[in-house]
Amino acid sequence: MAAKLLGMDVINFTPENSSLKKGETLYDTLKTIESLGVDTIILRHSDDQVFEQLAPKIKCSMINAGAGKNEHPTQGLLDLFTLYNEFQTLQGLKLLICGDIKHSRVAGSMIVAAEKFGIDLTLCGPDELMPDPAKLPTSVKFADFDEMIPKVDAVMILRIQLERHESFGLSAESYFKDFGMNEERMNKMKEKSIIMHPGPFNRNIEIADAVVESPRSRIFSQVENGVYMRMSILDWLLKGEEQ
């Protein structure tokens, strides 16, 4: 949508129907696409290091639409824009992220952004889904979900993938009880605090129906802001190519 609103022609690429299924390397596939004359490649991939490995070899612009479990920079930027649009500042803003932090690209990008922009970041969730504190900036804190809810300006809920966590007995009922954003928890938040979720969301597993639709929710605003942010990124890159 962002590309189309800028008047760009979009080529959708489906790996399942491509030469990747015939043994072609990802590099050769991207190099072939580049040779067709595209200006920008938007890539999402399961490999944490795919951009570090391929970017020096590809001449056209590349946009990271999610790499491995470490980062999702355009999501991070739209989340920052959503926060700034709400509070007119990022410095000193108190943000709580709850969920599967360990495997979340969204959380990974926000951890980097929080340090750059002076956001006071706290993480919470099941112990098994928390990252190693030694690998995080010292400014990032860990705390109890219910204890932090009344203290923060924004709560970001992350999607929980129960099929990934069956090994330690995590159920939908127990997760929602301990970490779900329900109406009771929402009503304990500060007057002007907001609720965010990068989507897609599981209703009544990590977030209640009523919370998704509440006046505090900025979930659908995040989606809208994602179009604006990605338009800005594409426009900036293409102008850079022209210059």
Side-chain angles (χ1 to χ4, degrees):
M1 181 60 74
K4 288 179 178 179
L5 287 172
L6 290 172
M8 301 174 69
D9 293 321
V10 180
I11 302 170
N12 288 313
F13 175 80
T14 307
E16 291 76 12
N17 299 328
S18 75
S19 293
L20 284 169
K21 295 293 287 185
K22 302 174 185 178
E24 184 176 71
T25 67
L26 178 60
Y27 165 73
D28 288 334
T29 297
L30 295 180
K31 200 67 181 174
T32 300
I33 293 172
E34 179 186 59
S35 299
L36 293 173
V38 303
D39 297 295
T40 301
I41 295 173
I42 301 170
L43 177 66
R44 185 181 185 92
H45 200 274
S46 59
D47 186 344
D48 291 353
Q49 307 301 324
V50 66
F51 284 91
E52 286 80 356
Q53 294 166 1
L54 293 176
K57 304 175 184 178
I58 304 297
K59 294 178 182 178
C60 71
S61 300
M62 293 180 68
I63 295 175
N64 183 345
K69 61 181 181 298
N70 284 341
E71 57 182 33
H72 193 344
T74 63
Q75 179 72 45
L77 288 168
L78 76 88
D79 290 338
L80 290 173
F81 177 60
T82 302
L83 289 167
Y84 186 84
N85 199 41
E86 189 75 30
F87 299 103
Q88 303 304 302
T89 187
L90 295 173
Q91 185 70 38
L93 206 65
K94 291 180 170 55
L95 173 64
L96 174 66
I97 303 181
C98 179
D100 182 0
I101 310 293
K102 191 175 186 177
H103 302 99
S104 173
R105 289 183 289 251
V106 177
S109 288
M110 185 54 73
I111 288 167
V112 174
E115 188 175 31
K116 288 181 180 293
F117 291 96
I119 295 172
D120 185 346
L121 180 61
T122 302
L123 308 176
C124 65
D127 290 342
E128 296 87 348
L129 302 181
M130 291 294 101
D132 181 356
K135 297 180 180 180
L136 301 180
T138 55
S139 58
V140 176
K141 300 184 290 292
F142 294 79
D144 178 76
F145 188 40
D146 288 299
E147 179 187 337
M148 290 303 300
I149 283 174
K151 301 178 182 179
V152 298
D153 301 300
V155 178
M156 182 183 292
I157 306 298
L158 300 177
R159 181 168 67 99
I160 196 76
Q161 299 180 59
L162 292 173
E163 68 277 7
R164 177 186 279 167
H165 313 311
E166 290 176 351
S167 60
F168 56 87
L170 186 65
S171 68
E173 294 76 15
S174 64
Y175 186 85
F176 191 65
K177 176 178 177 292
D178 294 335
F179 299 103
M181 178 50 79
N182 55 28
E183 288 184 271
E184 181 181 355
R185 288 184 168 117
M186 179 179 68
N187 291 334
K188 294 178 181 178
M189 295 173 68
K190 294 196 296 186
E191 183 182 356
K192 295 184 178 181
S193 58
I194 62 171
I195 295 166
M196 302 169 67
H197 194 307
F201 47 86
N202 297 307
R203 290 174 182 260
N204 303 313
I205 294 181
E206 74 258 4
I207 188 166
D209 273 322
V211 176
V212 173
E213 309 293 343
S214 76
R216 289 188 185 273
S217 172
R218 297 297 181 271
I219 294 172
F220 298 110
S221 295
Q222 287 174 265
V223 178
E224 181 181 355
N225 290 340
V227 178
Y228 305 146
M229 180 54 66
R230 285 155 182 149
M231 286 177 71
S232 298
I233 292 167
L234 285 166
D235 184 62
W236 177 69
L237 283 173
L238 293 173
K239 283 181 177 176
E241 291 289 329
E242 293 170 2
Q243 293 167 1

